[in-house]
Amino acid sequence: MSETLPLLHNNGSTADDDATSPPRYIGGGGGIIVNTPLQIESPTPTIDTGSDRHRRSSVIAIAAAEAIRQDRKKSRTLYAQQDYESFREHPFRIPSLTSIGSLEADVAAQERLADERNKTKQENTVDECHSVPGIIQFVISQIPAVIIAAGLNFMVGIPFGASYFPTELQLQGKEVLGFRMFLFATMIAQLVFTFASKFDNGIGLQMVENVPFCLELARIVMSEQSDESGTTSTLFFLFGFSSVLVGLVFYLLGRLEMGRIVYFFPSHVLVGCIGGIGVFIAITAIEVSTNTTFSFTLQGLNDSIVSPFNLLLPVFAFEIALRLIVHATKGQYSLLPPVFYCLITPVFYLSLYAFGVGIDVAEDAGYFSPPIKSTGSAMSWSLLDIFTEIHISKISWKAVIKAIPTMISLTAFSLIHVPINIPAFAISTNTEPDMNAEMIAHGFSNFISGMVGGLQNYMTYSNSVIYSKSNGRGKCSSLAIVLLTGFIFIYGPLLCVYVPRCMAGTLLLHVGIDLFLEGVVESCHDYDSLEYSGIILITITMTILGMDAALIAGFIAALSTYVVQSITYQHPIKGSMCAATLRSSAWNRSAEAQAILLDKKKGRERILVIECQGHIFFGNSTILKESVLEILTEKRRSGDDPIVVILEFTYVLAIDSSSAMTIEKLKDLIIKKFGVEVVVFVCGHEDGFRCHYDLSLKVNGDATNKRSTSKRLVDPIDVGEDHPIIFETCKEPSQPNISRAQARASVTARALDVSNGHSGYKNAVVADIPNSHVCETLDDALIFSEDVLVAVQDAMILQKDVDDRFRSNILEGSGMSVQC
């Protein structure tokens, strides 16, 4: 059996400070375990320096802390195991913090408790589903949820199906075509999410937020082609190709586990796009309700609003009523808007009856969509048109190239829904989401939809929450939604002609106003004036000039906001202080060196540390330079001119080339203008500064940094008891063939390098104290600066100090005991 020996001092006493020493083995391998009182013997008189006391007390403290940590760890494990065993015997008792004794153990016990309960719940669910009564009860409970989900698909598909094509596009039966396009993309999404998603109650839907992009693509095609067959071929090709592109991006992000990349879109740019899309959908509501084309001209306002105001009056009335009801109920009922939309049609028919208006008269006045020309069979009502519209020979490739920026915008905007919907739905259902898996599922659903000319789709949040609250769950229920939506896909257009236009217009107007309020009104208190100006710019640009111009406006807004905020809010200087309260790891210096470093006029108080932060680029590099010079000027006025200046770049994220050149010039300015002996740069990274410009080489001391009467440091080459480290004043290096850059590391670092090597050099290398130096960490910089301060005062003291530290490292590295 292995034995753990207590830590001994040089006098034989243990390092524990308890009243009783831990159990020990007496004798050989099978000795007796006894507990004995801790005996503290009088230590042997030794010469005890300050550095020795520090070293011994640190070792004792570390050993004692480690022993306490191990004891606590064993106690926590023992208590957690005992409480868990108690829980197995009494499963209804929840472990408490006081019974366990630590938060970590309580969390572990709570996790075991949750696992046991989930396992029991799953077993009970399986047993219920395997029994006939359980199956019948489960099916009955799922019927309302399935009907609600499919009904929402039908209700949402009517208005948005009529909005995929501009009103100026003369396409026979485009409302029915758009309605089936919506349902097909929805069915594909639901089918894929049934098997590929981690959620068992998610609802797929066509990405209705992309309606403005669809209209933009249609207008681009119409500007290049005039015949109906060629227009539809190119347009459906663009619809399908953009869906395939969205699917590939989703899949690659998920497969490469890069789902978090979507969070790098600036928030205010996305909010501006949401506001612009809200205005776009509200305008679409006007066009769908009046069957006209809206434009921001007097003629457009007259044709779309003033003249057909009778068609818009029901839309405005229903929208106002819905807003008042939602305000009165304070938004407590999530099913209120869907139920309200379902009641619009019967209320409209009752209004016609009350005012004595016939259905034929209302149809002629434009309150209903044109009737479908039927040939007697449901399967012949252009059922397969969405799959047969593409003819490769009729595609306008010029229009395809022209539409590339719009498709890029569509793809970028499509990416923002998953990071919003999935985490929100996971919180609502208390489910742990796998963002990468959901990305892959969205990739499959969009790719499959696009391969047959379908539209983009996603997992919707609102419908999923309604379905989940209706107790909908499971693959069977999800497949039932697919089948019922397929039935609506075939026979739904028969019912669409009996739904008034005001129902579609009210839904679109309500959604558009909500998006506008969310993007423009409600965000005014969440962003500063510059960011909010970008939101307004994007919204106005998207409304007037379209999606492509909005993409450019978003890029300009993001870039300008970054530049201005970096200059205004992220000051490149984090702070500055003298090194009087800072200590390097070279704490065991000699008494003479400590006296120099503690002196207020020539010690650590003459080291100035300036910390930089953030991104340093061309916009704030001038502020960095001016701030450093201002700090040094203030030090000169107070009579505290620093001997060494340390510029700390550990908290700097990146430096561009222009700023790197400014920092290089700043070094020379500090030395020449303020007479600083040494400027030390802390890059904070083993590979140097975080920039492409070779700043480490530029600011490091080189052959041009000569001093006329400088102290020179002689490297410890063949170090031994007869060859101590020597400092002297000389004019030229003893070996000119050795580069000065190789000899300008810290004296302590060079001593350690020699101590770790077993072969010594034959000759000494002489180096100037450089006027600039680059270190990886702040500790290295402090060691180097302290060495410089001591060497400037008396080189022989530093020689003795480094020699002592060097011998100590050799003895410790060889395993020899050190008398404390």
Side-chain angles (χ1 to χ4, degrees), residues 694-709:
D694 196 358
L695 185 60
S696 300
L697 179 63
K698 299 293 183 179
V699 300
N700 203 0
D702 53 28
T704 60
N705 296 329
K706 294 182 179 180
R707 303 170 186 270
S708 57
T709 59

Side-chain angles (χ1 to χ4, degrees), residues 505-745:
T506 303
L507 193 150
L508 289 172
L509 183 62
H510 188 79
V511 172
I513 292 176
D514 278 347
L515 291 177
F516 177 78
L517 293 176
E518 177 185 351
V520 177
V521 179
E522 297 175 358
S523 63
C524 62
H525 301 294
D526 299 332
Y527 299 92
D528 57 30
S529 57
L530 179 63
E531 292 174 331
Y532 190 72
S533 301
I535 293 174
I536 299 298
L537 173 65
I538 295 171
T539 302
I540 295 175
T541 304
M542 182 179 295
T543 303
I544 299 177
L545 301 178
M547 296 297 168
D548 297 340
L551 179 65
I552 298 175
F555 177 78
I556 295 175
L559 182 61
S560 60
T561 302
Y562 170 74
V563 172
V564 174
Q565 288 183 344
S566 298
I567 297 174
T568 306
Y569 300 107
Q570 185 66 45
H571 198 282
I573 300 296
K574 183 179 181 181
S576 63
M577 64 179 298
C578 68
T581 58
L582 300 177
R583 294 293 185 272
S584 68
S585 60
W587 53 271
N588 54 345
R589 293 182 181 271
S590 62
E592 295 86 351
Q594 290 284 8
I596 295 176
L597 295 177
L598 294 176
D599 190 279
K600 292 185 177 181
K601 294 185 178 181
K602 51 189 176 183
R604 291 189 180 94
E605 290 195 6
R606 304 298 298 277
I607 301 175
L608 176 63
V609 181
I610 301 176
E611 288 187 334
C612 306
Q613 65 178 353
H615 288 84
I616 300 180
F617 64 109
F618 62 91
N620 61 2
S621 59
T622 303
I623 299 177
L624 170 66
K625 183 182 72 173
E626 293 176 353
S627 300
V628 171
L629 297 180
E630 183 179 351
I631 292 173
L632 291 174
T633 301
E634 186 65 27
K635 288 289 184 181
R636 171 172 288 182
R637 291 173 182 171
S638 60
D640 298 329
D641 295 276
I643 298 176
V644 180
V645 173
I646 300 177
L647 294 178
E648 163 74 286
F649 289 87
T650 301
Y651 299 103
V652 172
L653 303 177
I655 306 174
D656 68 353
S657 299
S658 300
S659 302
M661 296 177 186
T662 302
I663 294 172
E664 180 185 358
K665 296 177 182 178
L666 176 63
K667 178 205 72 172
D668 298 331
L669 193 60
I670 292 174
I671 295 174
K672 294 178 181 179
K673 184 176 180 179
F674 295 94
V676 174
E677 292 288 337
V678 180
V679 179
V680 183
F681 295 85
V682 180
C683 60
H685 196 268
E686 60 181 3
D687 296 329
F689 290 93
R690 294 176 174 88
C691 62
H692 183 73
Y693 187 78
D694 196 358
L695 185 60
S696 300
L697 179 63
K698 299 293 183 179
V699 300
N700 203 0
D702 53 28
T704 60
N705 296 329
K706 294 182 179 180
R707 303 170 186 270
S708 57
T709 59
S710 64
K711 302 283 179 76
R712 297 175 184 255
L713 312 180
V714 179
D715 281 324
I717 301 305
D718 190 7
V719 183
E721 295 183 359
D722 299 330
H723 300 279
I725 301 173
I726 302 173
F727 290 83
E728 63 183 27
T729 302
C730 57
K731 296 182 179 181
E732 295 296 335
S734 59
Q735 273 195 344
N737 60 323
I738 302 298
S739 66
R740 296 179 183 270
Q742 295 175 347
R744 288 194 177 101

Side-chain angles (χ1 to χ4, degrees), residues 29-40:
I32 303 173
I33 302 176
V34 297
N35 290 324
T36 59
L38 181 63
Q39 299 295 331
I40 304 177

